[in-house]
Amino acid sequence: MNRYSSYPNPAGDRLIEPDISLASADFIGVAWAGLLTFSCNFHYSMTWLTLCIRWAVLLLCNVFGFLFNQRKEDCLFAPLIFKFQQTMVGFHSDHIHGNKYNGNDNKFSPGRVERLVRGRERRRSTRESNLNDSPDRINNNHVATESFEHEPRLREDTNGSYVERFLEGAAAARALPLSNGCKTEDGKPFKQRLLVVANRLPVSAVRKGEDSWSLEISAGGLVSALLGVKEFEARWIGWAGVNVPDDIGQKALTKALAEKRCIPVFLDEEIVHQYYNGYCNNILWPLFHYLGLPQEDRLATTRTFQSQFEAYQKANQMFADVVTKHYKEGDVVWCHDYHLMFLPQCLKNYNSKMKVGWFLHTPFPSSEIHRTLPSRSELLHAVLAADLVGFHTYDYARHFVSACTRILGLEGTPEGVEDQGKLTRVTAFPIGIDSERFRGALDLPEVQGHIKEFQERFKGRKIMLGVDRLDMIKGIPQKLLAFEKFLEENEYWRDKVVLLQIAVPTRTDVPEYQKLTSQVHEIVGRINGRFGTLTAVPIHHLDRSLEFHKLCALYAVTDVALVTSLRDGMNLVSYEFVACQENKKGVLILSEFAGAAQSLGAGAILVNPWNITQVAASIAKALNMPSAEREKRHRHNFHHVKTHTAQEWAETFVSELNDTVVEAQLRTKQVPPRLPTKTAIERYRQSTNRLIILGFNGTLTEPVERKGDQYKELEPTVHPELKQPLTKLCSDPKTTVVVLSGSGRTVLDENFKEFDVWLAAENGMFLNPLKGEWMTTIPELLQNMEWVGSVKHVFEYFTERTPRSHFEEREASLVWNYRHADVEFGRLQAKDMLQHLSTGSISNASLEVFQGSRSIEVRAAGVTKGAAIDRILGEIVHSKSMTIPIDCVLSIGHFLAKDEDIYAFFEPELPCVGVGLPRGKVTDAAGVKFPVERISTLKISASKNGAKSFQNKGQRPLSNSEKKASNHHICPPQRPATTEKISWNVLDLKKENYFSCAVGRTQTNARYTLGSSDDVIAFFKELADAS
């Protein structure tokens, strides 16, 4: 009897739960877990001792299970071990990581890494089980693995049964049981659908009649990768490579492709010319490979760029239409390569909950290269709509994140790119090959025959091999020149080595490629003429692909493989060579500009293909390398190729995509919902005395791109569509509007002089009631401003050192802004400034330093919007001679975390606020009016920035009984008895009548959120129309 039952969790992993029938053993586990929990909570100092005890007992339980020769799930101590694991995870979450997302302390919720590791082990177990139960996968019909899409076929395939088995046998694969036991409600094995969307389908269609088609199979690395993935039901969506203008032909082709589990996207000739031949091949592909266009082509491209870009967007939308037509809830959509960079955005516009991943099979250039593209921002934003973005290497991922930060101004994190709280995970997934197919093919009689043929043909000579497309990025001329230099410097090897170069022609109609072909032929002829004889030549050049079996045999007899790519996404030729070298143990010379160098660099000789002298010396080193070193180098690379297969690559990507969605859902639970505008308007209409508190920058200003016009940001102006709704709201006698901003008095006067609003400048330090005179709310702070000069000198110094940064000197604070400076340099400068401020001459002053997204602000301690609002509220009540309590509050702004204490101020569920109001005002000697101090029973909690709580001077803390009794009651101020005082309820605020809303922020203490100032204006228009 199985002691465990299993069930899938939301991430798709299988959790093991002890069967309740084992009552006694389960009781032991519960008792021990309870004992350890008690010991942990008994005293904090026992925490690490408890941790050690847990690990020790867990180790003993596993040892006992091993001694009894039992698997974990069959071990007598399994329930105890399971309880330990739950307790241990809970311990780490509560005492180390804070249990951020798990609201239920008793619920076991594994972390992201743990889920991924568990899924990886489960996939390995499944794969091993399938290999043991299935016949040998290697047969005579296998074709070679190739990189996807941008790598053309390098071999002549005798037939396509290998791919046929994947395409036509997918239905049979669905009947295979999964090792994890996941089943649907009807008892059938559950398989997640995987929609693979690529520019081209893995088949080529040839029309035979009006309603008949012949399908020719074309293999690629992606097909090979998904062949071994048993956990997903894959369907392919892409262009069939042929123009089908009539409905009859489209229906017939769709029906024929359906048998291959393929779904066509029909593109007309004009779209293909503009989208594929134009934008993809003439713009994106050269750009991503660091290739510059000739001047005449660059000018021609500039003239036709817009039309090509529009065709690119249109083609991506056509792909999206087909995907959405066949999409079912729960499907995973995997978009591939630079042809479909707009597809993630199109899909998310259709369904924001769709699981979308995007993978690039080419290099991604540095931000300095990418920023030359006119459509740079649009492409980046479109890709960021995906949940997971994958690249072959960390370098490419780093370049992408850098482009997003430098071009879009977004925040780059170790996990990816964050925009308005939405995280797009960016990481590296190096693709591999199916090494078992290559290794198994070497045992086939046909391959063995070719091996003997090659050995006899080149007997007595070392064999060097190059397998490439005849393309500018492959570095074939550089390879030939390096070989020529090697022969010049090593006379001994001239008749003892031969270079076999297979160069597959591609894009033969393009003049640049025709010129490259002629150049290669010229170099080959010159070298053979210089160093060849009547019976032998040093270079054998082949301008065509090679059949799979011959290629495997050629790999097996090669002594040195030479890969000199000038820029390559991955280059799987190096993988194929290593897979076939188990006996020969040849040497791999690999370009450092190929993506494979990140994976095979430990065993290969890395070279700079532009350095002809270095490559020639590496050839000599490889040919003279001792056997012991060759074996050691081969062992490193062979282990990587054997373990990092194409199947593992595909499974890992889809697994991480599923987990990324789970993480996003957990993170979303912590994000406040969007402001319910209809509910807010209805509550607003039903109220009798309303208070609207608004921020300025980012709330009422015109939106400015983060890397846009810096002048607009230096001179913030009111949103052009704000005038009509705000004027109407201010004219309502039941409504009081307060603009509470960190900006200075002059800025607020210039922007709101025509509106009947209350203005609170510099976070409430100064107050102007309805076009009146400015007054100081906290005058005592202005009397101690000696620190301004020291801070100003620091800000001036860093402004001079940081281009495109600036600082703003206000009356009670200083702000240094590096929003438009270089992202990395600005961040380093800000770090340096913070360190200086914390240790310099002002470190002991009564100041607070705040770091915004890309700014640093220094102000007097205790100055926050929440600390000032009670004084502002008292002045409003007195000035307007209010007799009706405020029963509806809207607080909307884009505030720093420090200033979000204003949201907590009006929360009805928090302690109450008592306000003391005098009949008259008090004026200081300078003639500046300011309200007298009131008693505030609300203490504002410290913010995330470490801000201190604010409390008025001279007031005593109230007891809990006094707090409960006051309940928003106006209490007499601590003033001389001669001043007349009144007491009444200022706030009669119910929970459903309070709407706090953060603009452009998702990590907030507000109840609700709005995306931008445009959303705020739209809400005000509805509110004004309804009032």
Side-chain angles (χ1 to χ4, degrees):
M1 176 181 175
N2 187 4
R3 301 182 179 185
Y4 281 69
S5 59
S6 63
Y7 61 92
N9 69 358
D13 299 322
R14 193 165 60 102
L15 300 179
I16 306 299
E17 183 71 35
D19 197 289
I20 59 175
S21 62
L22 298 176
S24 59
D26 197 58
F27 173 78
I28 296 174
V30 173
W32 180 250
L35 177 61
L36 292 182
T37 303
F38 171 78
S39 65
C40 181
N41 295 328
F42 182 75
H43 195 276
Y44 186 78
S45 62
M46 297 295 291
T47 299
W48 292 107
L49 177 60
T50 302
L51 177 62
C52 296
I53 294 175
R54 289 181 179 178
W55 278 114
V57 179
L58 181 59
L59 177 62
L60 289 176
C61 292
N62 281 282
V63 170
F64 286 145
F66 174 76
L67 294 176
F68 281 92
N69 196 25
Q70 293 178 324
R71 295 172 58 198
K72 180 180 176 182
E73 56 267 32
D74 298 326
C75 177
L76 177 63
F77 298 93
L80 187 145
I81 295 174
F82 176 75
K83 291 300 178 183
F84 269 143
Q85 290 175 333
Q86 283 193 329
T87 307
M88 287 297 300
V89 173
F91 172 82
H92 281 289
S93 298
D94 296 335
H95 293 274
I96 298 178
H97 298 297
N99 232 358
K100 181 176 182 181
Y101 297 113
N102 189 1
N104 185 358
D105 294 338
N106 298 322
K107 184 178 179 181
F108 174 59
S109 180
R112 173 177 173 269
V113 175
E114 184 175 350
R115 291 195 301 268
L116 294 175
V117 170
R118 182 186 300 169
R120 176 176 175 271
E121 294 302 320
R122 177 172 52 81
R123 292 195 304 270
R124 282 192 173 185
S125 176
T126 303
R127 192 180 302 113
E128 292 174 359
S129 176
N130 291 337
L131 288 176
N132 293 334
D133 296 339
S134 62
D136 186 13
R137 298 171 59 237
I138 309 300
N139 55 62
N140 297 339
N141 296 325
H142 284 155
V143 297
T145 303
E146 302 167 17
S147 58
F148 174 67
E149 184 59 41
H150 56 281
E151 292 282 359
R153 300 173 61 192
L154 300 178
R155 306 103 188 155
E156 294 175 350
D157 303 329
T158 54
N159 55 63
S161 60
Y162 170 73
V163 184
E164 289 277 5
R165 187 158 62 88
F166 169 72
L167 297 175
E168 297 179 348
R174 296 179 61 186
L176 296 176
L178 292 178
S179 62
N180 64 357
C182 295
K183 295 182 179 181
T184 58
E185 295 180 357
D186 56 2
K188 296 181 179 180
F190 172 79
K191 281 183 175 288
Q192 188 177 30
R193 289 210 326 168
L194 177 62
L195 302 182
V196 182
V197 191
N199 177 62
R200 287 292 299 271
L201 291 172
V203 296
S204 297
V206 178
R207 195 164 190 170
K208 297 298 184 180
E210 185 179 17
D211 58 353
S212 63
W213 291 85
S214 173
L215 302 180
E216 178 184 355
I217 306 300
S218 56
L222 189 59
V223 178
S224 304
L226 295 177
L227 174 65
V229 178
K230 304 298 183 183
E231 297 185 354
F232 311 107
E233 176 191 337
R235 278 178 168 78
W236 293 72
I237 299 177
W239 178 47
V242 62
N243 180 34
V244 189
D246 58 297
D247 293 338
I248 297 178
Q250 291 185 4
K251 292 180 180 179
L253 180 57
T254 301
K255 182 178 180 181
L257 289 172
E259 300 177 359
K260 312 293 184 183
R261 310 196 71 79
C262 294
I263 302 170
V265 177
F266 296 104
L267 305 175
D268 58 54
E269 290 184 353
E270 180 61 23
I271 288 290
V272 171
H273 176 69
Q274 293 278 345
Y275 146 73
Y276 181 69
N277 298 326
Y279 195 78
C280 292
N281 287 344
N282 287 340
I283 297 177
L284 291 183
W285 192 89
L287 182 80
F288 284 8
H289 289 86
Y290 295 81
L291 294 179
L293 295 174
Q295 183 65 23
E296 59 272 15
D297 289 348
R298 186 181 294 114
L299 293 176
T301 300
T302 302
R303 288 193 296 268
T304 60
F305 170 82
Q306 189 59 36
S307 62
Q308 293 180 356
F309 181 60
E310 292 172 356
Y312 182 84
Q313 291 177 295
K314 182 178 179 180
N316 275 250
Q317 185 60 54
M318 295 172 70
F319 276 86
D321 294 340
V322 176
V323 173
T324 54
K325 180 179 179 181
H326 294 84
Y327 172 80
K328 297 180 180 179
E329 186 177 358
D331 289 354
V332 172
V333 183
W334 192 359
C335 313
H336 288 270
D337 232 355
Y338 57 92
H339 310 89
L340 302 176
M341 295 182 73
F342 256 93
L343 184 57
Q345 187 178 77
C346 297
L347 296 176
K348 286 292 187 175
N349 290 339
Y350 168 77
N351 184 351
S352 61
K353 296 183 179 180
M354 187 182 295
K355 298 179 182 179
V356 179
W358 182 78
F359 191 89
L360 182 64
H361 294 265
T362 69
F364 192 89
S366 70
S367 59
E368 290 302 307
I369 297 294
H370 184 77
R371 73 189 311 158
T372 62
L373 187 65
S375 58
R376 58 192 186 183
S377 299
E378 294 88 337
L379 290 177
L380 292 176
H381 277 302
V383 171
L384 287 175
D387 299 294
L388 178 64
V389 176
F391 299 90
H392 281 309
T393 71
Y394 172 74
D395 283 346
Y396 305 157
R398 177 171 54 84
H399 290 163
F400 178 80
V401 173
S402 177
C404 292
T405 57
R406 293 177 182 274
I407 297 174
L408 301 182
L410 303 179
E411 291 296 327
T413 69
E415 292 80 21
V417 180
E418 187 172 356
D419 182 16
Q420 302 296 327
K422 192 264 185 183
L423 176 66
T424 299
R425 192 172 297 279
V426 180
T427 187
F429 299 92
I431 195 173
I433 64 172
D434 190 352
S435 58
E436 293 297 327
R437 294 198 300 111
F438 283 87
R439 295 167 60 198
L442 298 179
D443 297 328
L444 298 176
E446 184 177 355
V447 176
Q448 286 294 321
H450 289 310
I451 291 177
K452 293 180 180 178
E453 177 185 348
F454 291 141
Q455 289 175 339
E456 183 65 27
R457 174 69 178 82
F458 301 108
K459 185 176 181 180
R461 306 177 73 180
K462 294 286 187 178
I463 300 177
M464 296 179 59
L465 177 64
V467 180
D468 306 281
R469 277 186 300 126
L470 193 53
D471 202 320
M472 277 82 71
I473 67 169
K474 295 300 181 179
I476 297 179
Q478 286 79 1
K479 179 190 305 183
L480 297 175
L481 293 176
F483 184 65
E484 182 181 27
K485 185 171 184 60
F486 164 76
L487 295 178
E488 291 175 353
E489 298 177 349
N490 297 270
E491 184 177 353
Y492 169 80
W493 285 102
R494 290 179 182 176
D495 58 347
K496 294 180 176 60
V497 65
V498 59
L499 172 62
L500 308 181
Q501 177 62 53
I502 300 172
V504 182
T506 178
R507 301 184 68 183
T508 55
D509 56 333
V510 178
E512 287 78 10
Y513 286 79
Q514 296 172 354
K515 182 178 179 180
L516 175 64
T517 302
S518 301
Q519 183 184 26
V520 169
H521 289 171
E522 178 185 348
I523 297 175
V524 170
R526 186 181 72 241
I527 296 175
N528 284 340
R530 288 185 61 190
F531 303 104
T533 64
L534 293 176
T535 58
V537 291
I539 298 179
H540 288 250
H541 183 82
L542 192 63
D543 273 336
R544 65 179 181 86
S545 59
L546 198 64
E547 185 266 327
F548 173 67
H549 296 135
K550 288 186 178 180
L551 183 64
C552 290
L554 201 53
Y555 281 143
V557 300
T558 296
D559 296 280
V560 178
L562 194 53
V563 179
T564 57
S565 303
L566 304 181
R567 191 70 61 174
D568 223 342
M570 195 64 183
N571 195 295
L572 295 180
V573 169
S574 55
Y575 278 66
E576 297 171 357
F577 167 74
V578 172
C580 296
Q581 282 286 312
E582 192 169 6
N583 295 327
K584 188 80 171 182
K585 296 179 176 57
V587 181
L588 173 63
I589 299 177
L590 181 60
S591 168
E592 62 186 54
F593 300 117
Q598 301 289 328
S599 304
L600 304 181
I605 300 177
L606 297 183
V607 296
N608 177 1
W610 294 100
N611 189 339
I612 303 301
T613 303
Q614 181 196 21
V615 179
S618 298
I619 294 175
K621 179 180 178 180
L623 292 174
N624 294 293
M625 184 176 294
S627 59
E629 183 179 351
R630 289 204 317 270
E631 292 179 7
K632 186 179 296 185
R633 287 175 175 271
H634 172 75
R635 185 165 61 249
H636 281 288
N637 287 344
F638 186 75
H639 175 75
H640 180 87
V641 171
K642 183 179 178 181
T643 55
H644 293 73
T645 63
Q647 293 80 17
E648 182 69 22
W649 166 78
E651 290 175 345
T652 301
F653 185 92
V654 179
S655 176
E656 289 231 14
L657 175 56
N658 279 317
D659 193 82
T660 298
V661 174
V662 172
E663 281 287 306
Q665 293 171 350
L666 294 174
R667 191 182 301 106
T668 302
K669 293 179 181 179
Q670 306 299 314
V671 176
R674 186 177 177 85
L675 177 68
T677 55
K678 292 183 179 180
T679 303
I681 293 173
E682 184 63 26
R683 294 292 180 184
Y684 179 88
R685 293 182 58 189
Q686 294 176 1
S687 59
T688 57
N689 191 4
R690 310 124 176 178
L691 176 63
I692 301 178
I693 301 175
L694 302 172
F696 177 49
N697 285 297
T699 306
L700 303 179
T701 55
E702 188 176 1
V704 178
E705 286 290 333
R706 293 199 178 189
K707 298 296 287 187
D709 192 343
Q710 186 175 359
Y711 175 78
K712 285 187 177 182
E713 199 165 301
L714 291 174
E715 300 291 338
T717 56
V718 171
H719 197 289
E721 299 181 22
L722 177 66
K723 183 176 180 178
Q724 187 271 335
L726 185 58
T727 301
K728 189 172 183 180
L729 290 174
C730 293
S731 63
D732 188 347
K734 298 180 180 180
T735 302
T736 303
V737 181
V738 179
V739 176
L740 180 53
S741 171
S743 299
R745 293 190 281 182
T746 304
V747 174
L748 295 185
D749 278 336
E750 290 177 352
N751 283 279
F752 295 96
K753 56 187 177 183
E754 57 182 305
F755 300 103
D756 292 327
V757 298
W758 288 68
L759 300 178
E762 299 205 26
N763 302 298
M765 176 68 78
F766 304 101
L767 180 65
N768 186 346
L770 296 178
K771 300 181 180 179
E773 298 181 10
W774 284 96
M775 63 181 67
T776 306
T777 61
I778 316 177
E780 60 271 17
L781 293 181
L782 294 180
Q783 299 174 4
N784 184 20
M785 301 293 290
E786 294 84 2
W787 55 269
V788 173
S790 300
V791 176
K792 183 178 179 180
H793 290 318
V794 175
F795 279 18
E796 288 175 344
Y797 171 74
F798 280 93
T799 301
E800 293 173 359
R801 292 180 57 195
T802 312
R804 296 194 71 183
S805 69
H806 65 277
F807 80 93
E808 179 183 357
E809 183 179 0
R810 302 169 182 170
E811 294 180 72
S813 63
L814 289 94
V815 181
W816 182 67
N817 191 305
Y818 58 97
R819 185 188 190 98
H820 290 271
D822 179 85
V823 176
E824 298 297 331
F825 185 61
R827 187 179 293 118
L828 291 175
Q829 293 291 80
K831 182 179 179 181
D832 193 10
M833 176 186 286
L834 289 173
Q835 183 178 2
H836 177 79
L837 292 175
S838 63
T839 59
S841 58
I842 64 170
S843 58
N844 295 325
S846 181
L847 303 175
E848 288 182 313
V849 181
F850 306 103
Q851 184 172 17
S853 59
R854 286 178 190 167
S855 65
I856 294 177
E857 180 177 357
V858 179
R859 61 172 99 145
V863 179
T864 67
K865 292 178 173 66
I869 191 62
D870 60 344
R871 297 173 181 266
I872 298 173
L873 182 60
E875 184 63 31
I876 291 174
V877 172
H878 171 76
S879 177
K880 299 186 70 170
S881 301
M882 284 187 180
T883 58
I884 301 175
I886 297 173
D887 58 353
C888 181
V889 176
L890 302 179
S891 181
I892 305 174
H894 178 81
F895 302 136
L896 294 175
K898 158 77 174 182
D899 294 319
E900 286 200 347
D901 53 5
I902 190 175
Y903 297 142
F905 185 90
F906 291 99
E907 280 291 349
E909 298 178 352
L910 292 178
C912 60
V913 180
V915 181
L917 295 177
R919 284 292 188 186
K921 297 177 183 177
V922 178
T923 305
D924 62 3
V928 180
K929 298 179 180 179
F930 60 94
V932 298
E933 296 178 350
R934 327 182 288 347
I935 297 177
S936 173
T937 62
L938 176 63
K939 294 183 179 180
I940 307 302
S941 302
S943 71
K944 296 178 182 179
N945 301 54
K948 302 176 182 178
S949 62
F950 176 82
Q951 191 175 13
N952 288 337
K953 294 181 179 181
Q955 63 185 25
R956 65 175 181 85
L958 299 182
S959 64
N960 291 332
S961 60
E962 289 175 320
K963 291 180 180 179
K964 293 179 181 178
S966 60
N967 192 20
H968 296 307
H969 191 269
I970 296 183
C971 304
Q974 297 179 355
R975 302 287 302 172
T978 57
T979 307
E980 185 180 358
K981 313 172 186 68
I982 59 173
S983 295
W984 53 280
N985 290 326
V986 174
L987 292 176
D988 184 18
L989 190 59
K990 297 180 181 179
K991 179 180 179 180
E992 57 269 20
N993 281 7
Y994 177 50
F995 298 88
S996 58
C997 180
V999 181
R1001 293 173 60 93
T1002 54
Q1003 303 300 318
T1004 176
N1005 294 323
R1007 290 186 175 187
Y1008 307 103
T1009 61
L1010 283 174
S1012 66
S1013 59
D1014 288 334
D1015 298 329
V1016 176
I1017 302 306
F1019 170 63
F1020 279 171
K1021 288 181 178 179
E1022 296 182 33
L1023 191 64
D1025 293 339
S1027 61

